[in-house]
Each structure stands twice: as C-alpha cells, then as structure tokens.
Amino acid sequence: MAVITYRDALNQALAEELERDPDVFLMGEEVGQYDGAYKVSRGLLERFGERRVVDTPITELGFAGLGVGAAMAGLRPVIEFMTWNFAILANDQIINSAAKVHYMTAGQFSCPIVFRGPTGAALQLSAQHSQALEASYAHFPGLKVVVPGTPADAKGLLKAAIRDDDPVLVLEGEVLYAMKGEVPEDPDFVIPLGVAEVKRAGADVSILTHGKMVNLALQAAERLAKDDVDAEVVDLRSLRPLDLDRVVDSVRKTNRAVYLEEGWGYSGIGAEVVAQVQENAFDWLDAPVLRVHQTDAPMPYSKELEKLAKPSVERTIEACNRVLYR
C-alpha cells in the first residue's frame, strides 16, 4: 500500500468516484481553480472539467440547495464546505431538505448527496471557527454521519458515502490533512458505513473515540502501557449509523470505558454512547463510564487557554486511571 496524506486520500477517493460514475460531481467555494481551501480537490478541474468540478459564490445555503435538487434529479453531488462552521448557514437544506426528502415523498425521491469539509479546532482560529459539530448533525434522523480519523478511513468512507443513496456528512479533521498513512490503491476499496474498528486491542479499559481524537487515544494507550495498563482503542468511524455491537463487545471484554471526543460534552456523542453502553452492557461494567471532551465554553483565541480547553492525552490517561481506581 502507498503511504499518502489524509488530503491525498480524499483526493484519490474523489478522483476515483468521478472516474467511475458520470453522475458524480463536486461543487463548492474554490474547489476548482483554487483546488479547494485545503487542496483536497487539487487537479480535479483540469482532469474532469468545469461541469464536474464547479466553483460557486460564497452562498452556502444556495449551493447546498442546488446539490439537494441535483440529487433528487438523479445526480450524485459532493458538496464541499470550506469549514463545517460555515455549513451552519446551509442547515436548512441539510436538515430540512436532504434529511427528509425520502420520508416526505413517501420514498418517491432519494437524496444521494455528500456534504464534506473540515471540522473542529486547528490552532487559534477562535470560537466561530473551531467547533466540532458532528453531535448536532448525528441528532437528525435521515442523515448519516462519518468522521474519519486516518488516511485510509478518509478514502474508504468518502467513497462509501458517494455511493450511498442517502445524504451522508463527512466531517474531516482540520489538522489531519497532512497526516500520512498507508492507503489501499484498489479503486474498489470502500469502508462500509456503520462499521467501527479496533485500532488497538487491549484488555484493561476501552477508550472509545472518533475522528481527530483517534491519534490522541492511541498516544494515551501507549503511555498507559508503560504503567502496565492495556488499553483498547475503538474508533467509531461512523456516528450514525453507530456500530453499537463493536462498542459493547469491547466493554464486555475490558469492563471499563472512557469516551474521548473533541466536541462539547453536553448532549455530545459520548453522552449517547454512554447511554447505549448503560442499556446494553451495564452488568459487565466495573466502574462508571467517564467522558473526556472540550471545556464547556466557546473555544478561546488565547493559545494557552485553547490548549486547556481541548481534550488531551493527559486528561485521557487520568480518566482511564479513575475507571481503573488507580
């Protein structure tokens, strides 16, 4: 397998699906001539032309709505947001149109559309540009939500999202674009939506997580190993549908769990997963499930305060030690 960046893995996925299916097209601000805000669409305009790679004005609600209409007409649009923070402007089309078309037309129309772009905090982008919004989108029935944490997952999940007949949101880690990893070159490499993966096997405690936090969880697990704690890291990859079986299997094995996420804790993904674990694996738990997440406040601009607000390896290790009563 080739070792490439998360950015290039997404680019490969787009190129392969544009090549495979003439109904697929990419649309968004600067996706064509500028190659995308984070260069994910580099070279696609030259290769596929301006009818398949479409630059738009700064009108999130407008081009998201065009995408929904195109999907209802039988095309497979991929809509890029420069950041999911800007996608809030398009929420009416994502939540009220894309998510509900199939249901409100009694199945007469499907909406095979992908909305994708970077999410979460980078470095000193302040409150309005540092939000991990996956929990809010996972709340709505009718939407599928995936959050890849590695280059291989980025490629496999994006390809699966493009081939899916329902609206799928792909939230990419803003600081992951330069991350390198092994990525299959097979053009039919697809990771099914709704399938979690054990990124590190362990026996003492389960660190459940997704997206950008996968790497943080693996770092915490390696440091815990030095203190003879064998942590298992489970990457959900898909938040809706959720691979509850994989989560429960891990908890039943280790009897202790910590949920690590980038977003806020209140009504977060961790809150949902803890509720599911309580309902399905309560008798196997030897300690309450703890959560590690962002501080309950808008992200500060100050570099030091921002560091304190974000989840960290140290806080994850502390939570694991608490559920182990160490």
Side-chain angles (χ1 to χ4, degrees):
M1 288 189 285
V3 176
I4 61 175
T5 64
Y6 188 97
R7 172 188 293 109
D8 289 340
L10 291 165
N11 180 273
Q12 274 190 11
L14 289 168
E16 289 173 4
E17 294 307 299
L18 284 161
E19 187 71 47
R20 184 186 65 83
D21 186 347
D23 288 336
V24 175
F25 71 96
L26 176 65
M27 183 164 59
E29 298 156 357
E30 300 181 344
V31 299
Q33 295 190 19
Y34 191 69
D35 292 333
Y38 291 87
K39 305 304 179 188
V40 169
S41 54
R42 185 176 55 230
L44 298 182
L45 175 63
E46 291 77 9
R47 183 172 171 185
F48 295 100
E50 59 185 15
R51 289 179 62 85
R52 309 281 305 282
V53 182
V54 183
D55 275 325
T56 70
I58 305 174
T59 53
E60 280 79 7
L61 180 64
F63 64 76
L66 280 172
V68 172
M72 291 177 67
L75 300 179
R76 290 183 175 274
V78 179
I79 304 299
E80 176 178 307
F81 295 116
M82 295 177 76
T83 158
W84 275 98
N85 299 283
F86 298 167
I88 294 170
L89 294 162
N91 272 357
D92 185 54
Q93 288 298 337
I94 298 171
I95 296 166
N96 273 332
S97 295
K100 299 179 174 67
V101 161
H102 185 77
Y103 301 91
M104 295 184 70
T105 62
Q108 294 181 81
F109 291 94
S110 57
C111 192
I113 187 170
V114 173
F115 299 102
R116 51 156 294 269
T119 185
L123 183 62
Q124 289 189 279
L125 295 182
S126 194
Q128 294 174 328
H129 294 73
S130 303
Q131 302 171 105
L133 297 169
E134 56 266 31
S136 60
Y137 290 111
H139 179 68
F140 294 100
L143 297 177
K144 296 178 179 177
V145 180
V146 299
V147 190
T150 68
D153 288 348
K155 179 177 180 179
L157 290 171
L158 178 55
K159 287 169 68 72
I162 293 171
R163 298 183 187 191
D164 200 277
D165 287 334
D166 295 318
V168 183
L169 281 58
V170 181
L171 291 91
E172 303 151 6
E174 186 153 347
V175 298
L176 296 181
Y177 287 120
M179 175 188 186
K180 290 186 176 180
E182 290 188 338
V183 177
E185 297 170 89
D186 180 357
D188 286 324
F189 167 66
V190 172
I191 295 174
L193 307 182
V195 178
E197 184 180 49
V198 176
K199 288 289 198 284
R200 182 188 192 280
D204 295 332
V205 57
S206 300
I207 305 177
L208 312 170
T209 189
H210 66 269
K212 192 194 304 179
M213 295 296 102
V214 172
N215 189 45
L216 210 69
L218 290 170
Q219 291 178 46
E222 290 304 312
R223 285 178 50 180
L224 284 163
K226 295 176 181 175
D227 292 327
D228 298 323
V229 174
D230 189 17
E232 177 155 295
V233 176
V234 179
D235 177 7
L236 266 58
R237 301 198 294 197
S238 173
L239 306 181
R240 190 166 183 142
L242 176 68
D243 189 354
L244 182 61
D245 289 344
R246 188 63 59 91
V247 170
V248 169
D249 285 348
S250 180
V251 173
R252 287 180 176 180
K253 181 172 71 168
T254 65
N255 310 119
R256 304 166 196 274
V258 169
Y259 200 91
L260 168 62
E261 66 181 313
E262 184 180 12
W264 295 294
Y266 191 90
S267 297
I269 296 297
E272 173 64 26
V273 171
V274 170
Q276 297 278 1
V277 168
Q278 188 274 143
E279 289 179 22
N280 294 280
F282 180 79
D283 290 340
W284 281 265
L285 286 172
D286 286 340
V289 183
L290 296 184
R291 292 180 290 154
V292 178
H293 48 73
Q294 184 188 147
T295 299
D296 192 25
M299 184 64 74
Y301 175 74
S302 158
K303 188 175 182 179
E304 292 305 315
L305 290 178
E306 182 187 56
K307 184 178 178 181
L308 290 172
K310 293 177 180 177
S312 65
V313 172
E314 289 73 21
R315 286 171 56 195
T316 307
I317 292 172
E318 180 186 356
C320 289
N321 282 326
R322 284 179 61 195
V323 300
L324 287 160
Y325 299 114
R326 287 162 55 98

